[in-house]
Amino acid sequence: GESVGLHLPTLSVQEGDNSIINCAYSNSASDYFIWYKQESGKGPQFIIDIRSNMDKRQGQRVTVLLNKTVKHLSLQIAATQPGDSAVYFCAEIPRGSARQLTFGSGTQLTVLP
Amino acid sequence: KAGVTQTPRYLIKTRGQQVTLSCSPISGHRSVSWYQQTPGQGLQFLFEYFSETQRNKGNFPGRFSGRQFSNSRSEMNVSTLELGDSALYLCASSLATSTNEKLFFGSGTQLSVL
């Protein structure tokens, strides 16, 4: 049968605008969440993480928000730059599962000049 | 500090063959995990090794195996290759001093099965 690939959500933003990438996670027992960025031909690169006892964490130009009630995670990128163009994945680690990440399907971010 | 190194970068095999992929973690990192990335299934956990012992295993058939050496370097092996094994195989390492910890990924080995 025909193989169907994952349909990656896409987000296009103008350079300099803010980007918001959303992720719904599956396991209510997850207590650690990570955002990764993957550029073409490279492995995932750590961006920012957050533990379940927090609802917001800020890094350099990035902010992660966690809403445990609806099992939703978002990544906000301020003043998006061309180098931010990549696929962004959220990942969760359920409590007690050590370093076994469960990844979301990813979002393709394209920054327009 | 050198990052996670995976070799080879690209590999072409035919159905029925076996393949061994290699991963050198960041110096001082003791945990090595392997993931498979395909367009159809996304990123999926294969297994994790720590101190030469497999600590965790994902939902993959027994054709997928791995090991870790005393210097923390790891290899994964896939026997009796199938077309569906074509994927990017990613290795990640971490210090493993706490349960939840940053994983650092290599650039992967792109395996094509013909």
Side-chain angles (χ1 to χ4, degrees), chain A:
Chain A
E2 183 177 337
S3 171
V4 178
L6 283 175
H7 176 66
L8 276 186
T10 59
L11 176 65
S12 296
V13 298
Q14 292 292 139
E15 183 179 354
D17 286 353
N18 297 334
S19 303
I20 299 177
I21 301 171
N22 296 303
C23 174
Y25 65 91
S26 57
N27 193 335
S28 57
S30 292
D31 64 353
Y32 182 53
F33 304 88
I34 313 167
W35 279 99
Y36 282 93
K37 170 187 179 183
Q38 187 174 24
E39 297 173 282
S40 180
K42 298 183 179 179
Q45 176 188 354
F46 174 91
I47 301 173
I48 191 168
D49 58 358
I50 187 168
R51 299 187 189 280
S52 60
N53 61 354
M54 305 170 69
D55 52 23
K56 180 178 180 179
R57 190 165 188 220
Q58 289 184 288
Q60 187 176 10
R61 280 202 310 119
V62 294
T63 300
V64 55
L65 299 177
L66 174 63
N67 185 331
K68 295 181 287 294
T69 303
V70 294
K71 294 192 286 187
H72 183 267
L73 203 61
S74 69
L75 176 70
Q76 300 177 1
I77 305 173
T80 313
Q81 303 168 358
D84 295 327
S85 291
V87 178
Y88 289 81
F89 294 95
C90 65
E92 59 184 299
I93 298 182
R95 193 173 300 117
S97 68
R99 280 158 291 283
Q100 180 175 343
L101 298 173
T102 299
F103 281 87
S105 56
T107 296
Q108 173 71 61
L109 173 66
T110 301
V111 181
L112 306 171

Side-chain angles (χ1 to χ4, degrees), chain B residues 69-94:
Chain B
F69 302 95
S70 59
N71 62 358
S72 294
R73 191 178 70 84
S74 176
E75 290 180 346
M76 69 162 280
N77 184 276
V78 188
S79 62
T80 319
L81 283 165
E82 301 177 0
L83 295 179
D85 296 333
S86 294
L88 179 66
Y89 289 89
L90 292 159
C91 167
S93 75
S94 70

Side-chain angles (χ1 to χ4, degrees), chain B:
Chain B
K1 202 175 198 180
V4 177
T5 303
Q6 291 189 245
T7 56
R9 187 74 180 88
Y10 301 95
L11 206 48
I12 299 174
K13 292 286 187 179
T14 56
R15 278 182 301 172
Q17 287 187 310
Q18 75 163 10
V19 67
T20 299
L21 312 181
S22 180
C23 172
S24 293
I26 292 172
S27 177
H29 284 196
R30 299 168 63 191
S31 167
V32 173
S33 302
W34 289 88
Y35 288 79
Q36 182 197 64
Q37 185 173 26
T38 62
Q41 300 297 321
L43 279 149
Q44 292 187 294
F45 173 79
L46 280 156
F47 27 66
E48 185 211 359
Y49 287 86
F50 177 77
S51 291
E52 303 177 63
T53 301
Q54 186 181 92
R55 295 212 302 185
N56 221 343
K57 182 171 167 54
N59 189 24
F60 278 82
R63 299 185 298 107
F64 292 81
S65 63
R67 59 177 174 169
Q68 186 180 34
F69 302 95
S70 59
N71 62 358
S72 294
R73 191 178 70 84
S74 176
E75 290 180 346
M76 69 162 280
N77 184 276
V78 188
S79 62
T80 319
L81 283 165
E82 301 177 0
L83 295 179
D85 296 333
S86 294
L88 179 66
Y89 289 89
L90 292 159
C91 167
S93 75
S94 70
L95 282 168
T97 55
S98 64
T99 300
N100 296 332
E101 208 169 82
K102 295 177 190 177
L103 268 68
F104 295 86
F105 283 84
S107 294
T109 293
Q110 183 68 55
L111 172 66
S112 298
V113 182
L114 306 178

